[in-house]
Amino acid sequence: MTRKKNPAPAELPEVSVSDDGEVRHLHLGTPWIQGSMRIAEPFAIELEYVQRMMAWLLFVPPESVSKRNAMQLGLGAGAITKFCHKALRMRTTAVELNPHVVGVCRAWFKLPPDGPRLGVVLADAAEYIRRPELAGTVDALAVDLYDHEAAAPVLDSAEFYADCRALLTDDGCLTVNLFGRASSYDRSLAQMTEAFGEQALWAFKPTREGNTVVLAQRTPSRPKRTELQARAEHIQARWDLPATKWLRVFKPVAA
């Protein structure tokens, strides 16, 4: 959970955990699920929309993945950070405002300690990503920034998305979870279009729960269907993500 401005500690929502013996969930003071982990597979990605945020893998050579840099804005239950660090073997940074979220992820969601390839930064995401030394260094940027009400993205302006674009390498990708009313999605897509251009955007159909993942490329491309299919099959076989199914519900925004 990240806000535009640093709130006083008392304003940060309470962090709680629930589980049914198989899947553990993180909450921020409400019943809304802010992240999940299958207890028997703590480094796998449990939620369908979070799996879809790995769709950037379709646009890069598989052999290059472990040499790349990942960043997650809004830690949630740490699923993306853990997967990029453990499964993909990437250098990974997570940016989170609420220290209690980090503590709960370490205690209950198997988030590893910081090390040479993993760092968790306590900071306001909007401010952190404007650091000049980060420009052009991130290959896979995942944005899942919701407050405890989960009504609309907390950071959702064209300026914010332009800052995200500036972080990316030439073939880097941004993936964003958009959840909320249709009008919220349309507004978010318009802001991303202003920052990236319509040709750079790809989108999934919504999940059953209403999450729509949008991908934005730093440099727009249109891989051939055969290339995407081959990449999807490799992703599925190597990292156990349902990538071949993605291609049925993942299309360029500009036809």
Side-chain angles (χ1 to χ4, degrees), residues 5-186:
K5 295 182 179 179
N6 288 324
E11 296 177 357
L12 293 172
E14 178 186 357
V15 183
S16 60
V17 176
S18 65
D19 73 56
D20 59 9
E22 294 185 0
V23 179
R24 183 169 293 157
H25 307 291
L26 183 141
H27 309 270
L28 297 178
T30 74
W32 286 105
I33 292 172
Q34 300 281 350
S36 300
M37 176 191 77
R38 185 160 295 274
I39 296 170
E41 299 178 89
F43 299 108
I45 298 178
E46 173 67 16
L47 298 178
E48 182 180 33
Y49 89 85
V50 184
Q51 293 174 347
R52 291 179 175 186
M53 293 184 77
M54 296 294 105
W56 60 269
L57 288 165
L58 293 167
F59 297 94
V60 299
E63 64 273 12
S64 73
V65 170
S66 64
K67 304 177 183 68
R68 293 176 178 269
N69 295 322
M71 182 177 288
Q72 179 178 4
L73 306 184
L75 182 61
I80 292 172
T81 292
K82 291 187 299 180
F83 190 82
C84 289
H85 173 66
K86 283 283 190 177
L88 302 183
R89 310 296 297 174
M90 299 174 71
R91 290 181 296 276
T92 306
T93 303
V95 184
E96 171 59 49
L97 181 61
N98 191 335
H100 303 298
V101 170
V102 179
V104 167
C105 282
R106 292 243 153 91
W108 295 98
F109 291 90
K110 302 290 186 180
L111 179 66
D114 286 2
R117 290 189 301 104
L118 176 65
V120 177
V121 179
L122 281 173
D124 182 301
E127 296 174 1
Y128 182 80
I129 65 173
R130 288 196 289 264
R131 295 174 60 171
E133 68 271 21
L134 297 177
T137 66
V138 178
D139 298 287
L141 178 62
V143 176
D144 193 4
L145 296 168
Y146 283 80
D147 64 14
H148 58 289
E149 297 294 341
V154 173
L155 297 175
D156 193 40
S157 66
E159 292 78 13
F160 168 70
Y161 291 123
D163 288 339
C164 289
R165 186 176 185 271
L167 278 182
L168 298 176
T169 57
D170 285 345
D171 63 350
C173 292
L174 163 72
T175 50
V176 181
N177 170 39
L178 299 178
F179 178 75
R181 300 181 302 275
S183 59
S184 173
Y185 170 79
D186 292 341

Side-chain angles (χ1 to χ4, degrees), residues 179-236:
F179 178 75
R181 300 181 302 275
S183 59
S184 173
Y185 170 79
D186 292 341
R187 183 174 63 249
S188 298
L189 196 66
Q191 303 292 350
M192 294 178 71
T193 298
E194 183 176 337
F196 282 85
E198 190 178 43
Q199 294 297 319
L201 301 185
W202 298 64
F204 282 91
K205 292 181 179 179
T207 64
R208 291 185 299 276
E209 296 77 19
N211 298 85
T212 302
V213 171
V214 177
L215 180 146
Q217 297 177 286
R218 175 66 176 81
T219 304
S221 68
R222 286 290 184 273
K224 293 181 179 179
R225 183 76 181 185
T226 53
E227 181 181 357
L228 289 174
Q229 183 66 37
R231 288 262 174 88
E233 291 172 359
H234 183 94
I235 293 164
Q236 190 155 318

